[in-house]
Amino acid sequence: MTAKQNARALLCALLFVGELSLAGSLSSQGMRGIIRKESFGKAASGARIDLYTLSNKKGMEVAITNFGATVVALKVPDRAGKAADVVLGFDTLEGYENGTAYFGATVGRYGNRIGGGQFSIDGKTYTLPKNNGNNTLHGGIVGFNKKVWKAIAAKDGESLEMSYLSVDGEEGFPGNLSVKVAFTLPADRNELKIDYTATTDQDTVLNLTNHSYFNLAGEGNGDILDHVLMLHAKRFTPVDKTLIPTGELRDVAGTPLDFTTATAIGKRISENYEQLVFGKGYDHNWVLARAESEKGLTLAAEAYDPKSGRKLEVLTTEPGVQFYSGNFLDGSAKGKGNKAYGQRAAFCLETQHFPDSPNHPNFPGTLLKPNSVFHSQTVFRFSAK
Ligand code: GLA
């Protein structure tokens, strides 16, 4: 720590009351984690928005805003120990308010698509606003990514807990859904652990995920076609041309979606395989091996950037992962440092239940009932070699 940071930490220790409600930053003499709080501006609604930066002594830093419970920056060292920000994003709140790509956001109430913007529970049909052709994408017109969340520090300063109440009828979904997303940066490991918890007062459906866009060479540093990817999945859910699953679970063997052995993302991305044509590249849900045989937190995906040596491992309790190769990025939205993020400037590994599950009884269920608690966990673990 620099002298300035030390002084700041001391000041913060004096201010610290557990709740991140005080102006200025706060942290932690004697606490395990360090959380710095600063203003991220005022939303168009007038709400004051903050930016919280968690850091550890292993060289990792994660900045999260309570606008959309969004990961704004994620700095991790390369093989030479040099840190870079490996997620796409914006320098300002305005970028996130106007953004359409879900950079770093918490996505809900239902991540990915619901076909025809409709589903039924117990014979009652719910109609959602359509925001993606004939479908509802990522929770609808104003998803959780555009909501203002409440933040508190927890777990000895290692965690930042964000909470949000999605009221009955919001974006067409039934039930008051109380959601908590806890972001944890352990003091001794370079990983971001995300815990999702939710309860409802009526039967509803939910699918929560984080939509970080990774470029392990550093955001804005070219495309990710040379990144080498491994997905621990033997099957995927093929889609129609509007990216709604057909219901089939197809073997990846013999297709360009086979990442059971480490393969460069760009190697087969332009093949004339109908699924790749529909997705304009990779934009599919893989059925994780864990969904078929294992319980608990298991390894879902591994991505490696040979240039920097940075490696990302994704572990999850979810049954699926949407691997999206940034096909819709077109450089039109200017990111951090005014950089244009072009097509395939990053990839997403969105751990989740399968898209359109409410309309596919053969997929793992996404129904949440009153009196039961939803919990799901995903870990983004970093290393370099
Ligand atoms: C998900 C979807 C993609 C795209 C992105 C956001 O990954 O599957 O089709 O909508 O989100 O741009």
Side-chain angles (χ1 to χ4, degrees):
M1 260 205 225
T2 62
K4 198 173 157 199
Q5 281 170 325
N6 259 323
R8 194 171 200 180
L10 187 63
L11 172 71
C12 293
L14 296 171
L15 289 174
F16 188 72
V17 288
E19 272 236 359
L20 300 183
S21 55
L22 294 171
S25 54
L26 51 82
S27 182
S28 60
Q29 287 252 304
M31 298 186 75
R32 281 175 66 80
I34 301 167
I35 302 178
R36 204 169 71 225
K37 177 187 178 187
E38 63 200 296
S39 171
F40 201 41
K42 219 191 224 186
S45 66
R48 287 180 189 284
I49 305 298
D50 294 307
L51 186 68
Y52 302 89
T53 306
L54 289 73
S55 52
N56 71 8
K57 295 199 177 81
K58 296 274 180 187
M60 180 162 167
E61 201 177 281
V62 188
I64 302 164
T65 175
N66 62 316
F67 184 81
T70 300
V71 175
V72 169
L74 198 157
K75 295 181 185 158
V76 283
D78 66 5
R79 64 162 77 83
K82 191 168 172 284
D85 184 355
V86 298
V87 292
L88 306 195
F90 300 105
D91 292 323
T92 63
L93 172 61
E94 214 187 346
Y96 291 96
E97 286 198 279
N98 300 332
T100 55
Y102 304 87
F103 288 162
T106 294
V107 173
R109 184 180 298 201
Y110 197 96
N112 212 281
R113 293 173 179 79
I114 296 188
Q118 268 195 357
F119 65 93
S120 313
I121 300 175
D122 279 342
K124 177 158 188 220
T125 300
Y126 295 91
T127 304
L128 313 173
K130 295 172 183 171
N131 61 339
N132 188 248
N134 193 40
N135 306 318
T136 302
L137 175 68
H138 292 332
I141 293 163
V142 189
F144 290 2
N145 59 304
K146 300 280 182 188
K147 299 290 185 184
V148 178
W149 295 60
K150 278 204 187 89
I152 58 162
K155 296 209 185 92
D156 218 12
E158 281 184 309
S159 294
L160 181 71
E161 285 183 5
M162 299 262 177
S163 55
Y164 174 66
L165 175 68
S166 169
V167 296
D168 181 24
E170 184 182 293
E171 295 294 316
F173 291 97
N176 291 296
L177 184 78
S178 169
V179 189
K180 201 170 84 185
V181 183
F183 297 90
T184 304
L185 172 58
D188 55 354
R189 279 194 312 283
N190 281 351
E191 64 182 39
L192 174 64
K193 186 164 83 181
I194 309 181
D195 281 278
Y196 303 87
T197 315
T199 53
T200 182
D201 61 0
Q202 272 181 59
D203 286 9
T204 191
V205 294
L206 86 163
N207 194 23
L208 303 173
T209 192
N210 178 271
H211 210 307
S212 286
Y213 283 71
F214 297 99
N215 184 328
L216 299 177
E219 54 80 31
N221 209 341
D223 64 48
I224 45 73
L225 297 175
D226 290 340
H227 281 50
V228 177
L229 180 71
M230 196 167 170
L231 296 174
H232 295 277
K234 290 198 171 66
R235 299 195 285 174
F236 74 105
T237 51
V239 288
D240 67 16
K241 61 177 187 317
T242 74
L243 304 186
I244 295 297
T246 59
E248 180 192 350
L249 304 181
R250 188 181 296 174
D251 284 348
V252 293
T255 80
L257 281 79
D258 186 350
F259 284 94
T260 52
T261 53
T263 310
I265 291 173
K267 190 171 176 205
R268 302 161 300 183
I269 200 166
S270 302
E271 283 184 15
N272 190 22
Y273 181 68
E274 188 179 57
Q275 287 296 311
L276 290 179
V277 176
F278 286 168
K280 298 191 168 52
Y282 296 105
D283 192 355
H284 298 81
N285 169 69
W286 272 254
V287 179
L288 293 172
R290 66 160 310 283
E292 317 213 31
S293 57
E294 297 167 66
K295 296 260 180 297
L297 188 70
T298 46
L299 191 59
E302 299 170 63
Y304 177 67
D305 169 38
K307 289 190 290 283
S308 64
R310 289 192 190 90
K311 183 178 180 183
L312 163 65
E313 290 170 298
V314 182
L315 298 93
T316 190
T317 59
E318 285 293 309
V321 67
Q322 183 85 8
F323 163 48
Y324 169 58
S325 52
N327 313 309
F328 299 124
L329 296 174
D330 60 6
S332 57
K334 296 285 178 287
K336 295 170 189 171
N338 215 27
K339 285 185 258 325
Y341 298 135
Q343 197 189 29
R344 300 177 183 152
F347 64 89
C348 304
L349 290 166
E350 302 154 64
T351 53
Q352 57 174 22
H353 273 59
F354 309 169
D356 201 29
S357 294
N359 293 312
H360 294 280
N362 61 322
F363 290 176
T366 50
L367 184 71
L368 181 68
K369 290 182 159 298
N371 304 320
S372 59
V373 179
F374 170 85
H375 179 235
S376 141
Q377 188 178 70
T378 290
V379 177
F380 295 108
R381 183 173 289 165
F382 296 90
S383 57
K385 63 172 188 209

